[in-house]
Amino acid sequence: MTIDERRARRVGDLLAGMSLDEKLAQLVGVWLNVNREEGVVAPLQDAMQGEDVAFEEFARHGLGQITRHYGTRPVDPEWASTLLAARQRWLLDHTRLGVPALAHEECLTGLAAWRATTYPVPPAWGASFDPELVERMGRQIGSSMAALGIHQGLAPVLDVIRDQRWGRVEECVSEDPYEVATIGAAYVRGLQSAGVIATLKHFVGYSNSRAGRNLAPVHAGPREVSDVLLFPFEVAVRDAGAGSVMNSYAEIDGIPVAADAHYLTRILRDEWGFEGTVVADYFAVAFLHTLHAVASDAEDAAVQALTAGIDVELPTGVAYLEPLKRAVSSGRIAESLIDRALRRVLLQKAELGLLDDDYEPAPSGPVDLDGAESRALARQLAEESIVLLTNNGLLPLGDGAGRRVAVIGPNADSVTALFGCYSFVNHVLPHFPDVEPGIASPTLLDALRTEFPDAVLQVEPGTGVDDGDRTGIADAARLAAASDVVILVLGDRSGLFGRGTSGEGCDVDTLDLPGVQQELADAVIATGTPVVAVLLTGRAYAVPGILREAAAVVQAFFPGEEGAGAIARVLSGAVNPSGRLPMSMPGSVAGQPYSYLHPRLGAASSVSNIDPAPVLGFGHGLSYTSFAYEEVTVAGTAPAADGSIRCSVVVRNAGDRAGAEIVQVYASDVVASVTRPVAQLVGYARVELDPGERASVDFEVPTRLLAFTGRDGRRVVEPGEVTVTVRRSVTDVVAERPVTLTGPVYEITGAERRLTTVDVQKPHHSEKGHSS
């Protein structure tokens, strides 16, 4: 008998002998040591948490999950590991069936625990256009988690950015679904290669909320959901083998996803073949009653969620314990639905080895959660993600020797400005003000002093991030006027539920810079001293004046604990910037919602006085070197039926220093039966070249990427004319070629290849097999 057969038999034996109380206990989590008064880290946590209860009392019939054992308070990792092992030991020894619990944690920017490495936020992953690096990061995060006895990570977020006013933009990879899919799948592969289950968030539609408001109704028709929002999840499930999915809080066309079997069962399981577990976003089951008002009480909510396909209620059991017990006892719901969810949970525990006879919980012992390898990955990702938006030649600054440098702005000397809302520093530590961050992370000012030791640096914040204080602007302008160059550091403060300018529950109604930072920028630029503006943000802001008038502008999406040094090295020239915008840079403060994936009517025309075009497009980014595109060839025909479009380009580093170019391939239908985007990304390659070096980059683009939902609701690839373009960004076209898709209309089956294969060949060197 194989290991899998033994584990399946063990699951069957357990399920057959369990009481209803024991079954339900496996479908819920327990969240202990929550700071009820000030430690809110989940929506309406203070109202939804339920009564405090001892672990042993809650788990007397067993336990499905342990919620955020490390990530709720600042706890010493070694001590917490010993406690976790003791609790698993208690479950083995003091419950009738002896089934251990799964431990889950947040891990969007690294393990969200005290003293753990904090990496850049997902938009920085998108800016890097480097899925291999993201996979390495995911593997490193997973290794740290596994060492602590953690089994499941609540990441990645695969929501496609649709409205940059939404506070959770900083948790998303990109406005392009193909890039979200490739980067997100890489993170899943990395995390799961370390033995930790990845949880896809938030399935589905969450990012398409009306007016960019968190947890607001979703404005999307079935075609947009199918053609844009579902694709990254499909790739993560079918291509990367994700083990878990978390429902979206959203309601789409009046039906909350937590109660929608169309998405949670018919698409996810019946169509895509997903075999893992669906876990509820925190309190989402109870929200069916308290927020959405589609359930009359907790029992009704639990019945709807379980029937739709939510297997596990997180973070606690307020809806799945007593309410479901009543529903089964009264005959309102068949116990077989409990068994359906339970089998999935037990099979996952079996796959993790938790049901093996030789499973033995053990503390981690001494563990370094912020070691050299982790920091090196954080540094590389930060460096690759920084985007040089504009540059009149002032950058790089070199060693800065003898220069009088004014460092101005509210984010210049702030550690927290480097981190997103799901970092432990910004997620938990604000509720524990006397606790140190636990990781070594210099501010940008610190890093500038290190990078420019022979420059004369003087500092003036000018204003706060969003406090509206103008009293320091005049002092900042005087300092700027007396300096040779200004480094102006503007941007966000990430937080939760209104405690920041970016982050969960920190939505905005305009894309102006927060507070009076624009006034500070105007005053400093007006002095005539050359200004390098550094934007430390979670979203792209509308700053056309700064882009036009500053000598150079650098965009850094919360770059993590190594981010300050990375920015400083880009400014000096020690690092050649290679990041590209993963979201469009808006041209006006009210130009949302916007996506480059718009049809023709989404562009400017003579019938409206509003031009929605961004000031800088998706994929834009400059370098300190230049790249020449010398040859572009595209095969003229390809079968619509599961075919491939072959495209090749030769890229040469035409400058005098090493750098990386992001080669981008787009496609568009000339005519289709429904309106289609004027361009959509179908492949990309990060190509690193020495001065004078060239590379041949070959793309094999599956025609599946040109599929869409037709008028009859079927997903099809239509024959006809397609335009394929090679671009430096969505607005910078290098070459355009026509392609004819041949044969009849092809209906998508799901078995088609979904990702473009990329082959980068240099003289005496090749990198094959990469899927972008």
Side-chain angles (χ1 to χ4, degrees):
M1 184 181 297
T2 66
I3 292 176
D4 289 342
E5 290 171 337
R6 286 199 302 272
R7 289 174 172 171
R9 175 174 291 184
R10 168 80 164 127
V11 168
D13 292 343
L14 277 172
L15 202 154
M18 296 174 80
S19 69
L20 181 57
D21 285 329
E22 289 169 333
K23 290 178 179 180
L24 293 173
Q26 292 296 320
L27 305 186
V28 302
V30 64
W31 198 3
L32 304 174
N33 300 316
V34 180
N35 183 336
R36 291 176 177 274
E37 288 73 30
E38 299 178 355
V40 175
V41 294
L44 302 179
Q45 171 190 315
D46 50 344
M48 301 301 301
Q49 172 66 11
E51 297 181 2
D52 287 326
V53 62
F55 176 84
E56 293 78 8
E57 171 62 20
F58 189 93
R60 64 190 184 278
H61 297 299
L63 181 62
Q65 296 224 3
I66 295 173
T67 295
R68 297 189 65 173
H69 176 77
Y70 296 91
T72 299
R73 289 174 172 269
V75 293
D76 176 77
E78 186 176 347
W79 173 87
S81 173
T82 300
L83 177 59
L84 179 60
R87 285 181 170 158
Q88 297 283 37
R89 182 79 260 168
W90 188 92
L91 290 169
L92 287 173
D93 295 343
H94 293 89
T95 60
R96 187 176 73 88
L97 299 172
V99 176
L102 284 180
H104 77 258
E105 296 287 347
E106 298 285 359
C107 58
L108 185 64
T109 58
L111 171 60
W114 193 43
R115 298 180 180 171
T117 301
T118 303
Y119 297 87
V121 293
W125 310 357
S128 77
F129 281 83
D130 193 344
E132 288 89 351
L133 179 57
V134 171
E135 182 170 347
R136 287 167 52 204
M137 177 190 68
R139 184 178 302 112
Q140 189 69 14
I141 294 170
S143 297
S144 295
M145 296 172 75
L148 294 174
I150 301 165
H151 309 100
Q152 184 168 354
L154 303 187
V157 171
L158 299 184
D159 296 309
V160 179
I161 298 168
R162 305 298 279 173
D163 190 328
Q164 292 190 49
R165 294 173 297 179
W166 191 45
R168 302 193 80 168
V169 163
E170 66 165 71
E171 300 176 47
C172 304
V173 172
S174 173
E175 75 178 75
D176 179 82
Y178 184 78
E179 193 190 9
V180 177
T182 52
I183 297 288
Y187 182 92
V188 169
R189 287 192 298 268
L191 195 74
Q192 295 194 160
S193 70
V196 174
I197 298 165
T199 305
L200 311 181
K201 297 160 56 172
H202 306 84
F203 187 75
V204 61
Y206 193 31
S207 58
N208 217 74
S209 59
R210 290 182 184 270
R213 292 179 57 249
N214 194 45
L215 228 167
V218 164
H219 182 68
R223 180 169 287 104
E224 183 176 0
V225 174
S226 180
D227 293 355
V228 177
L229 303 179
L230 281 173
F231 181 71
F233 292 94
E234 181 181 7
V235 169
V237 167
R238 285 180 143 166
D239 295 82
S244 186
V245 170
M246 176 176 278
N247 75 282
S248 161
Y249 285 132
E251 54 188 60
I252 303 175
D253 195 24
I255 302 177
V257 175
D260 197 339
H262 172 70
Y263 294 114
L264 299 180
T265 296
R266 287 192 288 275
I267 287 180
L268 183 60
R269 295 194 184 276
D270 298 342
E271 184 178 331
W272 295 352
F274 176 68
E275 296 181 348
T277 56
V278 176
V279 301
D281 204 345
Y282 285 13
F283 309 115
V285 177
F287 285 168
L288 294 174
H289 167 53
T290 61
L291 291 187
H292 298 289
V294 298
S296 58
D297 53 23
E299 179 181 328
D300 188 15
V303 168
Q304 289 190 41
L306 184 71
T307 302
I310 291 182
D311 302 311
V312 179
E313 184 190 8
L314 295 179
T316 65
V318 294
Y320 265 22
L321 286 177
E322 291 304 316
L324 271 185
K325 185 177 181 179
R326 291 195 299 269
V328 173
S329 300
S330 68
R332 182 177 182 180
I333 192 173
E335 192 167 346
S336 60
L337 278 179
I338 304 288
D339 293 346
R340 180 183 73 172
L342 176 60
R343 184 178 296 277
R344 295 166 182 162
V345 169
L346 293 178
L347 282 172
Q348 199 154 69
K349 289 188 175 185
E351 290 167 1
L352 289 165
L354 296 178
L355 304 185
D356 293 351
D357 292 337
D358 60 354
Y359 169 73
E360 185 66 32
S364 66
V367 57
D368 185 357
L369 297 179
D370 193 28
E373 187 174 358
S374 297
R375 296 190 70 93
L377 283 169
R379 172 175 171 157
Q380 183 179 352
L381 184 54
E383 289 178 348
E384 290 189 6
S385 70
I386 294 166
V387 186
L388 180 59
L389 299 178
T390 63
N391 185 20
N392 70 1
L394 177 64
L395 293 182
L397 295 174
D399 61 11
R403 279 182 169 174
R404 296 167 299 167
V405 179
V407 182
I408 294 172
N411 278 344
D413 199 22
S414 169
V415 170
T416 58
L418 301 169
F419 302 126
C421 75
Y422 268 78
S423 68
F424 195 79
V425 168
N426 286 336
H427 202 77
V428 176
L429 286 187
H431 309 298
F432 301 89
D434 296 330
V435 178
E436 294 295 322
I439 51 177
S441 183
T443 68
L444 181 52
L445 177 60
D446 296 330
L448 292 172
R449 286 172 171 153
T450 299
E451 191 69 16
F452 302 107
D454 298 323
V456 179
L457 268 63
Q458 292 182 283
V459 184
E460 175 58 59
T463 185
V465 169
D466 62 339
D467 57 14
D469 184 0
R470 296 176 171 84
T471 58
I473 292 179
D475 289 338
R478 280 191 290 271
L479 175 61
S483 302
D484 298 318
V485 64
V486 175
I487 298 175
L488 178 63
V489 191
L490 308 171
D492 279 317
R493 183 186 68 257
S494 188
L496 292 168
F497 309 116
R499 298 193 295 270
T501 62
S502 173
E504 185 174 2
C506 298
D507 314 311
V508 295
D509 56 8
T510 175
L511 292 178
D512 281 312
L513 282 169
V516 294
Q517 292 184 71
Q518 184 65 54
E519 293 182 32
L520 172 65
D522 292 341
V524 169
I525 291 172
T527 65
T529 301
V531 174
V532 178
V534 176
L535 305 175
L536 270 170
T537 69
R539 56 169 68 86
Y541 281 99
V543 289
I546 294 175
L547 291 169
R548 183 176 59 252
E549 297 168 11
V553 183
V554 171
Q555 172 69 58
F557 298 103
F558 299 136
E561 65 182 55
E562 290 286 335
I567 295 170
R569 288 187 291 276
V570 165
L571 298 184
S572 73
V575 168
N576 190 351
S578 60
R580 302 292 187 268
L581 284 175
M583 62 190 86
S584 304
M585 200 88 180
S588 69
V589 298
Q592 294 293 309
Y594 176 84
S595 169
Y596 91 85
L597 289 165
H598 59 74
R600 289 188 182 182
L601 288 187
S605 71
S606 60
V607 300
S608 173
N609 61 312
I610 300 298
D611 184 354
V615 65
L616 294 173
F618 171 83
H620 169 82
L622 305 179
S623 172
Y624 295 150
T625 188
S626 61
F627 297 93
Y629 287 69
E630 297 180 335
E631 299 174 32
V632 175
T633 59
V634 179
T637 62
D642 200 15
S644 294
I645 299 171
R646 297 183 179 275
C647 172
S648 179
V649 57
V650 174
V651 182
R652 178 172 57 87
N653 185 340
D656 58 3
R657 61 177 297 166
E661 174 72 325
I662 311 299
V663 182
Q664 303 164 47
V665 179
Y666 295 77
S668 57
D669 283 288
V670 176
V671 176
S673 58
V674 302
T675 61
R676 300 288 296 137
V678 293
Q680 67 176 94
L681 184 72
V682 293
Y684 62 87
R686 182 183 177 90
V687 184
E688 303 199 9
L689 296 170
D690 290 329
E693 188 177 24
R694 57 169 42 87
S696 175
V697 189
D698 298 324
F699 298 89
E700 189 174 335
V701 180
T703 52
R704 159 66 180 80
L705 290 177
L706 294 168
F708 58 85
T709 302
R711 297 188 184 189
D712 60 2
R714 296 183 305 142
R715 288 189 55 74
V716 297
V717 178
E718 289 184 343
E721 297 303 310
V722 171
T723 300
V724 174
T725 51
V726 174
R727 310 188 186 203
R728 293 184 174 90
S729 75
V730 71
T731 58
D732 188 351
V733 178
V734 173
E736 178 179 301
R737 300 288 186 271
V739 175
T740 301
L741 301 185
T742 61
V745 173
Y746 176 71
E747 184 172 358
I748 295 298
T749 67
E752 299 84 8
R753 184 165 57 88
R754 281 165 287 275
L755 300 179
T756 294
T757 300
V758 180
D759 180 6
V760 179
Q761 296 187 0
K762 304 177 186 178
H764 313 298
H765 177 67
S766 67
E767 300 172 7
K768 298 184 178 181
H770 162 60
S771 293
S772 71

